[in-house]
Amino acid sequence: SFQDVTQASATTGSKFGFGASDGTTHGAYVMSKKDGANPTEEDDVDKSTVSFIKANNFTQTIDAEATTSLASGQFTMAWTTNDAVATEVLYLALGALPTTAVKLESFTARSAAGEPGVALAWRTGFEVENLGFRVYREDQGARKQITPSLVAGSALFAGLATPLTVGCSYSWWDPHGRPGMTYWLEDVDLNGKSDWHGPLVAHAEPSLSSVAVVRSMLLSSLPGGEAELQHDLPRAPHVARAAQASAAAVAAGTALAAGQTIKLAIREDGWYRATQPELVKAGLPPTVDPRRLQLFVDGNELAIAMSGAEDGRFDGSDAIEFYANGADTPFTDTRTYWLVEGKGPGRRVPVFQRGDTRCEAKGFPSRVVRQDRSLYFAALRNGDQDNFFGAVVNKMPVTQVLQLDDVVPAAGDGLLEVALQGGTRTSHRVEVSVNGHRAGNVQFEGQDQGVLNVPLPSAWLTEGENAVVLTNVAGDMDTTLVDRVAITYTRGNTAHDDQLDFTATDVAKVEGMTTPAIRMLDVSDPESVRELRGQVVN
């Protein structure tokens, strides 16, 4: 402040004051220097309890002072001392930078002389959590969207609340545009809020013979990559629990590591056989009672099949058999199984001979998973979970195709699993259909994960390609990303390429094992068999 009313011409003497406040902490300073004073004289005052001081008197006497309080979009000055004399105060109000913001540097619409179409281009100088843009053409006062879906912004590529200070360039081609038409640009943030830029009138440039425009990538067209189709089995219980092992399991694992055990290193999924000579050579005492042999993985006991254990002696012709999983982590490809002689009987896989009436399974549950990993969502706070996802579900429906082999049409219900990741911080609702049949909705909030698990009638499925269609029904502001789509169905007992991965809820037949005899394994008890999978070689 000049400490006085506005002056139209220069005045003798100098008076100046300034202050600041954030609504809680204040500070102010004022100084004056009288013209022609002899000796030279300067007076000043500073205080940390007020945000403005007036001293219009060439002394240290305070004429007026005030504090400042802040409210949404405004501030108020409260005068603790006031001389009731007009004084001009200039101020600069600084608001907090919004979490989401787009600063548009340029927006142009141009066409070549005598050619149809309008090339639209815009550039940002700053972006924070910008999901994308929509372009509209104004026709008779109404805005018509000409971009099929959102033009992808920086939100999926920059970190959460990370400013993109260099901005980005975008473009779009309107083949039906012409000079004189009016265009609008809308930017949308992760909260589902939008800002408008425009109007902009397209103009012709006679010097241009043609306009070349590369359309910017749409959010719904981000690289999809190749589908990861996994013909999978229901996960073994010990695998599913490995990430959340109980304290008892940890204690059991520690005890195993400290005792006399045989470590079996497994790198690939499959059915394994270890003979008595191999185990004894590895350090297992030949005097063990085979009936008390126990196999552990991740602190949990796994059921095994034994041959020759009925006599209580571990002879040279005896062997153990078990199904095991390798590891697939960034740290190792090996999972360790521990064989030990326990204090009581170990868990065993019941064995039945061919011809048993319980061995009549005509198919087995098979799980097919599509889990694309083509898009990295940098703005997602997801802890240790994966930040890579597949297709983006926005305005246009997304189709996920899964290949199913040997579908048993008269089987019972299967299972459909759809997992989506919230992109915007809004309410999400995505309708799911399978081969034209409505299966249900995935409904959830914000940037969480939503999962749909529903029974899937076998009559809906077809041999070969099956289409799972995801349709956003929550509005144009809703954006989700596909994490995975899985179908569990009854698959017939037919081998392809000389191999067949399988399990069964009742009885599974395992052929082509390393033992000379073909045996039937009862896996109806999930607690006694974690997971069985084998190969048919004949």
Side-chain angles (χ1 to χ4, degrees):
S1 170
F2 174 63
Q3 309 286 292
D4 206 337
V5 296
T6 302
Q7 302 291 323
S9 59
T11 61
T12 58
S14 174
K15 301 186 296 293
F16 178 74
F18 64 92
S21 174
D22 62 4
T24 303
T25 304
H26 314 280
Y29 172 81
V30 64
M31 61 80 62
S32 62
K33 185 175 181 182
K34 190 174 182 181
D35 180 59
N38 187 16
T40 298
E41 181 180 288
E42 179 179 316
D43 297 289
D44 60 1
V45 177
D46 68 274
K47 302 183 73 171
S48 60
T49 57
V50 296
S51 56
F52 177 76
I53 301 174
K54 175 185 176 183
N56 189 20
N57 49 48
F58 296 112
T59 69
Q60 291 183 325
T61 302
I62 295 175
D63 298 318
E65 60 184 14
T67 59
T68 305
S69 60
L70 304 183
S72 179
Q74 64 183 19
F75 66 91
T76 301
M77 299 187 71
W79 299 95
T80 55
T81 300
N82 195 335
D83 61 357
V85 177
T87 303
E88 183 182 47
V89 180
L90 307 178
Y91 68 88
L92 173 66
L94 300 177
L97 181 69
T99 304
T100 56
V102 170
K103 178 182 178 183
L104 199 66
E105 285 193 343
S106 63
F107 182 26
T108 62
R110 57 185 185 146
S111 63
E115 292 188 8
V118 171
L120 298 124
W122 62 99
R123 176 168 180 79
T124 62
F126 180 89
E127 291 185 32
V128 179
E129 297 192 3
N130 173 34
L131 187 61
F133 299 89
R134 296 189 181 99
V135 181
Y136 297 81
R137 185 197 318 119
E138 187 174 301
D139 187 10
Q140 297 181 350
R143 297 173 185 171
K144 179 182 179 181
Q145 183 176 334
I146 62 174
T147 46
S149 64
L150 281 171
V151 174
S154 63
L156 297 183
F157 313 107
L160 183 65
T162 301
L164 192 66
T165 56
V166 296
C168 287
S169 295
Y170 304 89
S171 58
W172 194 257
W173 172 254
D174 179 14
H176 305 294
R178 62 180 184 272
M181 283 187 167
T182 301
Y183 292 89
W184 292 82
L185 183 67
E186 178 190 20
D187 67 72
V188 181
D189 64 28
L190 289 179
N191 294 315
K193 297 179 181 179
S194 66
D195 288 318
W196 291 85
H197 310 274
L200 174 68
V201 178
H203 65 280
E205 296 190 12
S207 60
L208 292 178
S209 58
S210 64
V211 179
V213 174
V214 178
R215 290 182 174 181
S216 293
M217 186 70 70
L218 293 172
L219 201 63
S220 58
S221 303
L222 289 173
E226 294 297 325
E228 270 186 41
L229 290 179
Q230 304 171 9
H231 287 266
D232 213 1
L233 299 177
R235 292 181 181 270
H238 69 270
V239 175
R241 289 197 296 265
Q244 40 184 302
S246 64
V250 174
T254 303
L256 286 170
Q260 185 175 6
T261 59
I262 299 298
K263 293 197 302 182
L264 304 173
I266 303 298
R267 289 188 174 87
E268 296 182 2
D269 296 359
W271 185 265
Y272 286 84
R273 173 183 173 87
T275 64
Q276 187 263 10
E278 292 171 330
L279 295 172
V280 171
K281 183 178 180 180
L284 187 69
T287 57
V288 299
D289 185 342
R291 294 169 297 187
R292 294 205 301 265
L293 285 179
Q294 297 175 321
L295 185 67
F296 288 85
V297 61
D298 299 328
N300 298 301
E301 186 179 359
L302 180 69
I304 60 177
M306 292 284 308
S307 60
E310 296 81 5
D311 57 4
R313 297 191 304 271
F314 201 34
D315 302 321
S317 60
D318 295 346
I320 67 168
E321 296 175 3
F322 60 97
Y323 182 80
N325 299 105
D328 184 11
T329 73
F331 314 105
T332 182
D333 64 348
T334 303
R335 177 173 279 113
T336 300
Y337 288 70
W338 306 79
L339 183 67
V340 63
E341 182 182 11
K343 297 181 179 179
R347 304 181 72 172
R348 297 294 180 263
V349 178
V351 178
F352 302 94
Q353 297 300 319
R354 179 179 292 278
D356 193 294
T357 57
R358 287 170 288 184
C359 303
E360 298 177 353
K362 297 180 179 179
F364 58 92
S366 179
R367 185 170 181 259
V368 177
V369 184
R370 175 165 180 163
Q371 195 164 24
D372 299 350
R373 287 294 180 261
S374 56
L375 178 63
Y376 185 74
F377 190 179
L380 177 65
R381 292 285 175 84
N382 208 23
D384 293 332
Q385 301 300 312
D386 199 350
N387 275 46
F388 283 94
F389 300 94
V392 177
V393 184
N394 184 243
K395 187 175 182 180
M396 307 297 291
V398 169
T399 300
Q400 302 281 279
V401 177
L402 283 78
Q403 180 80 23
L404 306 184
D405 298 323
D406 297 322
V407 176
V408 179
D413 288 349
L415 179 68
L416 172 66
E417 177 187 355
V418 177
L420 303 177
Q421 172 62 49
T424 51
R425 302 184 187 96
T426 57
S427 297
H428 308 290
R429 185 184 176 199
V430 176
E431 187 175 283
V432 182
S433 64
V434 179
N435 295 330
H437 301 277
R438 186 177 179 279
N441 292 326
V442 187
Q443 293 183 256
F444 60 107
E445 299 290 328
Q447 290 185 323
D448 293 330
Q449 186 180 82
V451 179
L452 174 70
N453 284 294
V454 292
L456 185 61
S458 59
W460 291 7
L461 303 177
T462 62
E463 183 76 14
E465 293 186 350
N466 289 258
V468 179
V469 180
L470 311 174
T471 305
N472 167 32
V473 292
D476 290 349
M477 298 299 183
D478 178 32
T479 298
T480 57
L481 298 90
V482 180
D483 180 24
R484 65 186 179 277
V485 177
I487 291 178
T488 302
Y489 70 106
T490 300
R491 178 176 175 175
N493 292 325
T494 303
H496 290 276
D497 297 327
D498 291 331
Q499 70 177 29
L500 178 67
D501 290 343
F502 72 96
T503 185
T505 54
D506 296 321
V507 178
K509 180 172 68 175
V510 179
E511 299 187 62
M513 298 171 60
T514 55
T515 51
I518 295 176
R519 301 185 301 168
M520 314 303 290
L521 303 182
D522 179 11
V523 295
S524 59
D525 179 10
E527 286 302 319
S528 75
V529 178
R530 305 288 182 169
E531 178 178 349
L532 287 176
R533 186 157 65 182
Q535 294 183 336
V536 177
V537 295
N538 297 314

